[in-house]
Amino acid sequence: MAWIVLLASGVLEAVWATALDKSEGFSRPLPSAVFVLGLVLSMTGLSYALRTVPVGTGYAVWVGIGAALTAAYAMVLGGENVNPLKVALLAGLVACVAGLKLVH
């Protein structure tokens, strides 16, 4: 169960990171509220998962998922440039995160 919560928390990290960008310095109420809610839920889930998963592994998985999803979102919908090297590096990040689960 801890791993499922950790994965969901990583997804929520991407949500709050994207909402932070969309909030334009907290000047837009809806993205600002999504940021706060996403942050609280993400941190709560990470805290729960770290009761079972070692902190180094848990944090690396959480931030890796969040970083990869945030970057992918920015490339697909946010107008960030896409190139093969960037995609390959993100795929490598995801592979490393999956590897951490396998060695746990």
Side-chain angles (χ1 to χ4, degrees), residues 5 11 13 31 43 45 50 52 72 78 82-83 96:
V5 172
V11 171
E13 184 192 4
M43 291 293 175
L50 292 181
T52 305
V82 179
N83 65 59
C96 289

Side-chain angles (χ1 to χ4, degrees), residues 46-73:
L46 176 62
S47 176
Y48 172 82
L50 292 181
R51 293 179 188 172
T52 305
V53 179
V55 67
T57 300
Y59 182 74
V61 168
W62 178 77
V63 77
I65 291 168
L69 288 176
T70 302
Y73 177 88

